[in-house]
Amino acid sequence: MTPITIVSLGSGEPEDITLRAYRALQDVERIYAIGEAAVEIIRALPSGAVLEKKVTILSVPMQSDRRAAASAYEALAGQLEADCLADISTALVTIGDAGTYSSAGYVCRLLRERDMPHFILPGIPYYMTLPACLSRPLVLGEQSLLVLSRVESAEQLREAIDRDRVVVVMKLSRSEEAVRDFLRTDPPVSILYGEYIGDEERELVTDSLRSLPETPFPYFSLLIIKPSTR
Amino acid sequence: MTPITIVSLGSGEPEDITLRAYRALQDVERIYAIGEAAVEIIRALPSGAVLEKKVTILSVPMQSDRRAAASAYEALAGQLEADCLADISTALVTIGDAGTYSSAGYVCRLLRERDMPHFILPGIPYYMTLPACLSRPLVLGEQSLLVLSRVESAEQLREAIDRDRVVVVMKLSRSEEAVRDFLRTDPPVSILYGEYIGDEERELVTDSLRSLPETPFPYFSLLIIKPSTR
């Protein structure tokens, strides 16, 4: 059996991949990518043309369609298992960090259930790239950090800010109403906002509340809300 | 003026540095490192011997001695400013991620106040490396992630787990009592524990509650508490 490597590509620039992850991509025979964004990063790497030839792109339904997503993950785990048993070395690649709200995380679970040997190579998640883009630290000293994949209400954000927590809202588009409600109350916060981070043509990052787009937030968007420094 | 680059070295293996950060270390004339751990990572990189010659090690007092730490950060910012004005290219390096509970975060603030141009290159924080070491995802789906730099009480952990949050306890040694109190109540959780991650000789990682050391947690230790999967 040849272990499967789950490779995080990081976020932002293609060269935000780690040396170890980059080496893993060079070493394996087959690369499975969930989604086109991962392939674009691979293509832009120094040896991208060579790496791209090893890539199989998988389209996995949105996680919101749970049943369809679950069966796609099962199929992918099955493919990885077959390669592993046939001693073909494989990497499953994902944008951001494989352990952080990633489809690859579900696949890891399945590989674990199937007793398939696998390694995870961590990567930089988008919520660390965004503050770096704006030359700001994410979290300092005694503050806590709360990362939410869904915001239930403006009240939830208010409570977190009152407790001096830096709040990251992932998958912002599905929490749009609660977030806008909260911001309308003129709370004592500063914000960092990013959409399409890493996509040269469409990337927008800002730390100005007034520059926040008024149109609906796109799917690839992210908001960090920080208690105002006193 | 030559901009200052704040370079995150990542955590775990030296090759967990990003390609971009590695290139920055090669490009600059001077490297300032806060603490010996950062220098050990640099030394272990492919061109470590060359890079090490550029390094100046700074010893910064523990953040708990705030006044002494603050004046060390001021002195460091002053040095970086002087180099920047003299058109000497510099990197300030830090283990983990520069934006995540890092002394470099304070230095960034000072550089900002002094209007000194600077970039941050993000890196992988220890709390992402630990689950990867154990082939586990950190956080999935609808769960939230709460990163605490200090735990006030066992009750605070109970509340977070009840809300289906994955809890990361940074700087574990100073929250030892609250964490042990919580774990003694036999809560419905699984844990990931690591100490001296990245230090070949002393590293210990485990996902077994029974393997948790009974002696005091060392300064370089980290605990992740996850709600049991139902």
Side-chain angles (χ1 to χ4, degrees):
Chain A
M1 291 200 289
T2 299
I4 299 144
T5 312
I6 316 292
V7 177
S8 308
L9 298 174
S11 44
E13 300 190 14
E15 299 211 350
D16 280 336
I17 190 174
T18 67
L19 299 190
R20 190 149 65 113
Y22 182 52
R23 199 182 304 275
L25 295 182
Q26 291 172 309
D27 288 348
V28 297
E29 289 162 88
R30 291 183 184 171
I31 297 173
Y32 294 97
I34 303 176
E36 180 61 37
V39 185
E40 278 169 32
I41 292 178
I42 291 174
R43 198 177 290 139
L45 286 170
S47 59
V50 178
L51 294 176
E52 196 186 348
K53 288 187 188 143
K54 300 195 267 187
V55 174
T56 303
I57 307 183
L58 306 157
S59 73
V60 168
M62 290 297 193
Q63 288 184 23
S64 52
D65 183 356
R66 293 190 191 202
R67 224 156 129 184
S71 88
Y73 299 150
E74 282 287 353
L76 174 52
Q79 177 66 55
L80 292 168
E81 178 171 7
D83 287 352
C84 172
L85 294 172
D87 269 338
I88 297 166
S89 58
T90 56
L92 172 65
V93 297
T94 175
I95 57 172
D97 174 57
T100 305
Y101 299 114
S102 158
S103 303
Y106 291 101
V107 179
C108 285
R109 272 207 186 157
L110 297 174
L111 294 175
R112 197 178 166 79
E113 285 166 21
R114 289 163 185 243
D115 268 330
M116 286 296 113
H118 62 284
F119 297 105
I120 301 179
L121 303 187
I124 297 171
Y126 285 89
Y127 72 82
M128 295 195 175
T129 299
L130 172 57
C133 286
L134 292 159
S135 300
R136 301 291 184 81
L138 172 63
V139 61
L140 281 174
E142 301 284 312
Q143 287 183 316
S144 308
L145 175 70
L146 178 63
V147 184
L148 298 172
S149 72
R150 185 189 290 277
V151 179
E152 301 301 338
S153 64
E155 187 49 36
Q156 188 186 8
L157 296 174
R158 203 149 22 233
E159 182 209 331
I161 295 297
D162 282 348
R163 295 171 83 167
D164 199 24
R165 292 180 173 169
V166 174
V167 181
V168 175
V169 183
M170 309 282 285
K171 304 177 185 174
L172 179 59
S173 58
R174 64 182 199 171
S175 297
E176 175 136 15
E177 200 185 323
V179 168
R180 300 245 189 222
D181 280 353
F182 173 69
L183 293 176
R184 256 192 296 273
T185 63
D186 194 22
V189 299
S190 59
I191 62 123
L192 307 176
Y193 171 81
E195 59 185 50
Y196 300 111
I197 292 170
D199 177 331
E200 260 180 53
E201 282 165 30
R202 293 188 291 177
E203 179 176 297
L204 167 70
V205 297
T206 181
D207 57 5
S208 155
L209 201 49
R210 275 166 303 174
S211 308
L212 211 60
E214 287 189 22
T215 48
F217 299 122
Y219 181 75
F220 284 109
S221 64
L222 174 68
L223 183 70
I224 299 176
I225 309 172
K226 302 176 100 176
S228 290
T229 40
R230 284 139 303 183
Chain B
M1 292 200 287
T2 300
I4 299 144
T5 313
I6 316 291
V7 177
S8 308
L9 297 174
S11 46
E13 301 190 12
E15 299 210 350
D16 280 336
I17 190 174
T18 66
L19 300 190
R20 190 149 65 114
Y22 183 51
R23 199 183 303 274
L25 295 183
Q26 292 172 309
D27 288 347
V28 297
E29 289 162 89
R30 293 184 183 168
I31 298 173
Y32 294 97
I34 302 177
E36 180 61 36
V39 185
E40 278 168 32
I41 292 178
I42 290 174
R43 198 178 287 136
L45 287 170
S47 59
V50 177
L51 294 177
E52 197 187 346
K53 287 186 189 146
K54 300 195 268 188
V55 175
T56 302
I57 307 182
L58 306 157
S59 74
V60 168
M62 290 297 194
Q63 287 184 24
S64 51
D65 182 355
R66 293 192 190 197
R67 225 157 127 184
S71 85
Y73 299 149
E74 282 285 353
L76 175 51
Q79 177 67 55
L80 292 167
E81 177 171 7
D83 287 353
C84 171
L85 294 172
D87 270 338
I88 298 166
S89 58
T90 57
L92 171 65
V93 296
T94 177
I95 57 173
D97 173 57
T100 305
Y101 298 115
S102 158
S103 301
Y106 291 101
V107 179
C108 285
R109 270 205 188 162
L110 297 174
L111 293 175
R112 196 178 167 79
E113 285 167 20
R114 290 163 185 246
D115 269 330
M116 287 294 112
H118 62 285
F119 298 105
I120 300 179
L121 303 186
I124 297 171
Y126 285 89
Y127 73 82
M128 295 194 174
T129 299
L130 173 58
C133 285
L134 292 159
S135 300
R136 302 290 185 79
L138 172 63
V139 61
L140 281 175
E142 300 284 312
Q143 288 183 316
S144 308
L145 175 70
L146 178 63
V147 184
L148 298 172
S149 72
R150 185 191 291 278
V151 180
E152 301 301 338
S153 64
E155 186 49 36
Q156 187 186 9
L157 296 174
R158 202 150 24 235
E159 182 208 331
I161 295 298
D162 282 349
R163 294 171 84 166
D164 199 27
R165 292 178 173 171
V166 174
V167 182
V168 175
V169 184
M170 309 284 284
K171 303 179 186 171
L172 179 59
S173 58
R174 63 181 199 172
S175 298
E176 176 136 15
E177 200 184 320
V179 168
R180 300 249 188 220
D181 280 354
F182 173 69
L183 293 175
R184 257 192 295 274
T185 63
D186 195 24
V189 300
S190 59
I191 61 122
L192 308 176
Y193 171 81
E195 58 184 52
Y196 299 112
I197 292 171
D199 177 332
E200 260 181 51
E201 283 165 30
R202 294 188 289 177
E203 180 176 296
L204 167 70
V205 296
T206 180
D207 58 4
S208 155
L209 203 47
R210 276 166 303 174
S211 308
L212 211 59
E214 289 190 20
T215 49
F217 298 122
Y219 181 74
F220 284 108
S221 64
L222 176 67
L223 183 70
I224 299 175
I225 308 172
K226 301 176 103 175
S228 289
T229 40
R230 284 139 305 181

